[in-house]
Structures are given as C-alpha cells and as structure tokens.
Amino acid sequence: MTPYKDKEEFVRILSALWDRIFNTPEIMQGLAGEKIIVRFRFTDFDTTLYIDNSGEKPIYYWDPEGDAPFDVEMIQTTEASHKFWMEDLNVPLAIATRKVIAKGSVQKALKLLPALKPAFKLYPQILAEMGRNDLLQKAAAKKRKRRFKWFKRKVVRTYDLSKLQPFPLSLKKELQPEERPPEPKPSEPPHPLDLLRTMYTIRAFEQHLAHAFKEGDIPTEAIHLSIGQEAVAAGVCLNLRPTDYLNTTHRGHGHIIAKGADLGRMMAEIYGKATGLCKGKGGSMHVTDRSIGVLGANGIVGAGYLLGLGAGFAIKHHEKSDNISVVFAGDGSVNQGMFHEAMNMIALMRLPVLVVVENNLYGEFTRIDRHSAVTDIQKRASAYGIESYQMDGNDALSLSREMASVIEKIRSDGLPRLVEVKTYRYHGHMEGEPQVYKPKEEQEEFLQKDPIDRLEA
Ligand SMILES: Cc1ncc(C[n+]2csc(CCOP(=O)(O)OP(=O)(O)O)c2C)c(N)n1
C-alpha cells in the first residue's frame, strides 16, 4: 500500500528529492559520466517521472505529453519507490521477483546506484521537512523488529542431528536415479545436419532469451549467452551418451541443450516457472537435469572442475562403467585454485574426465593476455601430466571429429584429457553489457568465422 497521502504529496516529495540531488555536487560528480534517460512508471498513481541525464545539465519532469524517449524504464509502485529511498529494497532481488520491472539497458541503470548512495540521506530529511515523521518512525520500528527477529531465530533454531544422512552418502543411489536410461547407447558419430540443427536450436533459444531479457521478462539480474560458441556445445555433446555426466558454467545453455534437455522445460526453468527442470528455483545459472547426466550449470567460476572430478570418481569406483565426466569451463576459470586442485586429483586418481576449456578470449571484461601469464591454456595440462589438445571451436565438423576421437580414448583407457577450444562470444559477458573493451576489428573478424555460416557453407 502506498505510504503517501495522495499523488500530489508523492510528486511534491520526489520533486524535492531530485531538486536536492541535482544540487549535491558529490552525487552529480558520480552521475556525470552516465548519459542516460530513465523513466519511472508508478503504477498505483498512474504517473511517470523522467530523469534525463543525457544533456549538459540533468533535469526531471513528470508526465510529458506524448511519449518522450528513454533508455531504461522502471515500473513499480510508489511503495517500492519509498522502500528504495529508505534503503529497504534490494534492487536486484526486486527485479528478479518482478516487484520492480526493469526494461532496457538495466545494467547501465544499475551502475547509477553507487553514485546515488549519498541521496539516501536526503530522502528522510525531506520526509521530515514535509511533516511525514510518521514514516520515519515506522521505518525505525521495522528495523528494530527485524533485528529482534534475527536474534530470536538464532536462539530457537536447533538441528536434529539424528535426522542427517549418514556419511559416506550412497553415491550410487545419488548418481543413478531410476529415470536414467539403464544401458548406454552405442556411440555413433554425429551427422553434420545434427550438428547444424543443434547449433540453430541453441542460437534461436538464446536469441529469444536476449529479447526476453531486454523486455524485462526473465526474472534474473544477469543472463550469459553463448551466441557464437554453439559449435563447441554441439561438437562435444553430440558425441556423448545420456549416461555421461556434464558440469557446466554460467554460460551453459548451449551445452545443456546439446546434451538433450527438453527445450520447453529448460525455457520454463529460465523463466522461473514451476514447470521448469528445477521447478523454476534454479534459473539460467543453475539448470540441472540428471536424467540426461547434466549435474548442473554453476555460477561459481571453477566449481565445475571439482564436481566433474567427483563424477569421474563415481564412474570409476561406483559405476565401474566406460561413461565419462565432461567439464565445460571458460578461459577465466583456469586461474582459479579449483582448476589446479582438480587437475592434480583428476590426474593422480586417473579419472575419466574430459575438461573442455572454451577460450573465448575474455574473462568478463578482461582479455586473456591481461589475466593469464600463460595464454596457451592447453600447456597448463602438462603440469599435471594430462594429455591435451587445442581445437578450432568455430569449425563444428572438425571439432566434432577430433572430439569423438578424444572421447573414445577416454572411454577406452579411462584417463583424463584437456581440450582448449578457441572460440568467441558475440554478446556481452552478460546481456546488455556494451563490450567497450573489445576492438571492433576483432569482433568483425570473428563474425566472419561464424560457426553456423561455416558449416552451412
Ligand atoms: C569464484 C567466482 N569468482 C568470480 C566470479 C565472477 N565472475 C562471473 S563470470 C566471470 C568470468 C568468467 O570468465 P570465463 O571463465 O572465461 O567464462 P566466460 O564468461 O568467458 O564464459 C567472473 C569472474 C564468480 N562468479 N565466481
């Protein structure tokens, strides 16, 4: 429910706030570099506020006649706005749960938040000046109550240790659910048309996500697309069986699709729907489907190496099968301690693990030659005595053939292999990110090597 008496009071308070923000040099310095127009639409009072920081001097205005242009739109109630200014609203969470609907260059808008921090002091001052001390008292009481609740929770929470599962957990039971196919399918080399179909599917799936994210329809703060890297997913995963295990990263949609996930349930998962693969509780970065061996995507960079190690251990010591454990990772992850710890143990324990490092030249916004002392990732495997290869990740056909032979080697001798695959992502590290750190010529060069165009040709 709105905390304001009426629309007039709301407009008066927010106008006073923005007047004061524009007259606070400390805040204005922080906002200076961000040329942006943000439109706030307040649904309960049916009013819009434009904050226009695109010109020399910032201005604000309410309800212009006709539609004025804007870069980002934030749709919310006046209650959410009040909570925001009272520092009682977690913005990314509010966007994820659609309490606030954000449309347009959301990342750009979120960048303004640190600069606005000093403004949080101004809002309570204005409320007091406008005779709304009652709202300040309410907020203070709520804060006290919340603190008390946490304290109480700590005291009453107890664990019934007898109900915990005994250790060691039964890996066999954990890793072989009934829904998994009993016998592995014999491996057949993927047909070029299957490679192409898979790459098309991944691209179409992710292009839809790019559009939906821009529209504010995906309940997440960040989504990472692999457009441009589809040949890697297809070239590796079409050589796998449903009983092989797969661990992937924050950029894992393609791998999971190529491993055979149900597209509808996967899309539902990313939309946070109950019909999703994980009942909508995981989302883009945690899609999991054990029925096809997908142990999960993972937002923790480097974590997949350790999970893949575990799956390799289970294959060797519990399943005693010729399945393999595949780990997808990015070039940025090879500087994590987890990479080195996992490589050591995988080699030492001689586990059937295929590590595929997708070298798309960038870890977030940093080029590989600025984040890695040794940019030839393949070479790192030799430190652990692991056989390694380097492949062209934009040539689906040759990649698939070379991968097939590496995978067969792992199945037959049970030993790990590392493959560095050279590729490129077309979109930002996350959607909406403008990629200012990438030279235009480099982007052009890789567009010419598009994996789908190449296979079609
Ligand atoms: C342990 C950890 N550190 C940092 C991050 C923040 N982070 C998310 S993605 C990313 C870069 C990963 O780069 P890379 O491994 O090359 O994968 P790509 O994004 O290129 O697919 C970073 C540093 C994280 N999620 N987890």
Side-chain angles (χ1 to χ4, degrees):
M1 228 181 75
T2 183
Y4 305 99
K5 285 182 189 133
D6 50 30
K7 182 172 161 181
E8 281 65 39
E9 184 191 54
F10 171 64
V11 171
R12 213 172 342 114
I13 289 175
L14 277 218
S15 299
L17 175 66
W18 281 102
D19 281 334
R20 207 157 296 176
I21 289 175
F22 291 164
N23 282 309
T24 308
E26 183 195 357
I27 303 177
M28 292 321 297
Q29 272 162 16
L31 295 179
E34 298 298 336
K35 297 287 172 211
I36 189 169
I37 306 174
V38 186
R39 173 162 95 171
F40 295 95
R41 180 138 56 96
F42 302 102
T43 47
D44 44 348
F45 283 156
D46 192 22
T47 186
T48 52
L49 167 65
Y50 283 70
I51 306 296
D52 182 347
N53 195 31
S54 64
E56 283 219 341
K57 268 191 149 193
I59 50 168
Y60 71 83
Y61 46 90
W62 295 87
D63 299 322
E65 265 183 34
D67 258 355
F70 57 87
D71 303 298
V72 189
E73 182 176 42
M74 298 287 200
I75 305 169
Q76 62 202 294
T77 59
T78 53
E79 185 188 15
S81 165
H82 169 70
K83 281 189 170 169
F84 171 77
W85 289 114
M86 291 301 290
E87 295 186 81
D88 191 19
L89 187 84
N90 176 334
V91 178
L93 186 67
I95 292 175
T97 52
R98 298 181 70 74
K99 283 202 172 88
V100 173
I101 298 174
K103 297 188 170 182
S105 344
V106 179
Q107 296 306 327
K108 209 170 158 191
L110 289 177
K111 270 202 218 146
L112 300 176
L113 287 181
L116 280 175
K117 217 168 170 199
F120 292 125
K121 272 190 273 167
L122 303 177
Y123 184 68
Q125 285 169 14
I126 287 165
L127 286 181
E129 286 164 21
M130 303 242 173
R132 293 304 311 263
N133 274 319
D134 58 317
L135 290 181
L136 299 176
Q137 282 155 7
K138 245 191 210 162
K142 198 172 157 195
K143 238 182 204 165
R144 270 199 305 276
K145 211 165 149 191
R146 202 181 299 149
R147 229 179 278 143
F148 181 63
K149 209 162 125 193
W150 275 108
F151 172 72
K152 252 175 87 181
R153 244 193 237 166
K154 262 192 199 151
V155 174
V156 296
R157 204 164 180 181
T158 56
Y159 295 98
D160 181 355
L161 293 177
S162 66
K163 286 195 180 143
L164 289 178
Q165 276 201 55
F167 190 83
L169 304 172
S170 161
L171 279 179
K172 227 172 176 174
K173 191 168 154 245
E174 281 297 299
L175 295 173
Q176 287 187 310
E178 277 158 22
E179 67 267 25
R180 298 192 71 200
E183 286 302 322
K185 268 200 323 203
S187 52
E188 287 164 20
H191 191 280
L193 281 178
D194 287 331
L195 289 169
L196 196 57
R197 193 174 298 121
T198 304
M199 287 198 287
Y200 273 142
T201 307
I202 297 170
R203 189 161 294 184
F205 189 93
E206 291 205 315
Q207 276 174 343
H208 168 83
L209 288 177
H211 174 74
F213 182 77
K214 196 166 172 204
E215 290 296 303
D217 291 341
I218 311 275
T220 182
E221 183 198 341
I223 195 157
H224 310 82
L225 305 184
S226 63
I227 294 178
Q229 303 183 202
E230 299 89 345
V232 185
V236 175
C237 296
L238 294 197
N239 280 297
L240 299 178
R241 307 165 175 162
T243 45
D244 290 324
Y245 295 97
L246 188 151
N247 279 284
T248 180
T249 67
H250 53 285
R251 205 177 300 290
H253 304 144
H255 311 138
I256 300 170
I257 291 171
K259 188 77 165 64
D262 179 288
L263 292 179
R265 292 190 65 207
M266 184 162 160
M267 190 62 92
E269 181 58 36
I270 297 171
Y271 270 81
K273 305 273 184 206
T275 47
L277 284 168
C278 312
K279 301 193 168 78
K281 293 177 196 289
S284 161
M285 276 190 271
H286 302 93
V287 179
T288 302
D289 184 356
R290 289 201 316 184
S291 69
I292 51 162
V294 174
L295 299 183
N298 204 310
I300 301 171
V301 171
Y305 294 120
L306 299 175
L307 298 168
L309 183 163
F313 186 90
I315 291 168
K316 180 166 176 172
H317 296 290
H318 294 268
E319 285 186 2
K320 301 187 192 332
S321 71
D322 67 347
N323 288 331
I324 69 165
S325 159
V326 180
V327 177
F328 281 101
D331 50 278
S333 70
V334 298
N335 299 320
Q336 288 282 353
M338 287 181 275
F339 169 80
H340 300 280
E341 292 171 41
M343 288 304 110
N344 180 52
M345 293 307 282
I346 286 168
L348 184 69
M349 296 195 283
R350 302 164 71 84
L351 301 178
V353 180
L354 169 62
V355 174
V356 181
V357 182
E358 284 185 78
N359 181 356
N360 62 12
L361 291 184
Y362 291 87
E364 278 193 338
F365 323 116
T366 311
R367 206 170 194 281
I368 185 163
D369 46 16
R370 298 195 61 215
H371 72 60
S372 280
V374 176
T375 55
D376 229 343
I377 292 169
Q378 175 203 8
K379 283 188 186 159
R380 297 185 178 219
S382 64
Y384 302 100
I386 294 179
E387 202 175 294
S388 65
Y389 307 81
Q390 205 168 49
M391 296 181 193
D392 180 350
N394 282 27
D395 181 346
L397 210 52
S398 71
L399 179 82
S400 162
R401 285 185 189 135
E402 290 171 53
M403 279 292 177
S405 109
V406 173
I407 288 168
E408 271 321 299
K409 276 188 182 180
I410 303 175
R411 291 201 198 288
S412 64
D413 64 16
L415 294 177
R417 306 290 192 290
L418 180 145
V419 184
E420 174 189 359
V421 184
K422 302 245 186 201
T423 184
Y424 200 71
R425 67 167 153 76
Y426 294 166
H427 283 221
H429 167 68
M430 50 207 183
E431 273 310 282
E433 176 266 296
Q435 308 202 72
V436 287
Y437 49 88
K438 280 186 177 175
K440 284 271 168 292
E441 312 76 60
E442 181 187 278
Q443 297 189 41
E444 275 305 315
E445 180 196 329
F446 277 95
L447 281 172
Q448 298 306 317
K449 296 185 192 163
D450 182 77
I452 294 183
D453 289 350
R454 242 162 118 177
L455 186 55
E456 277 178 339

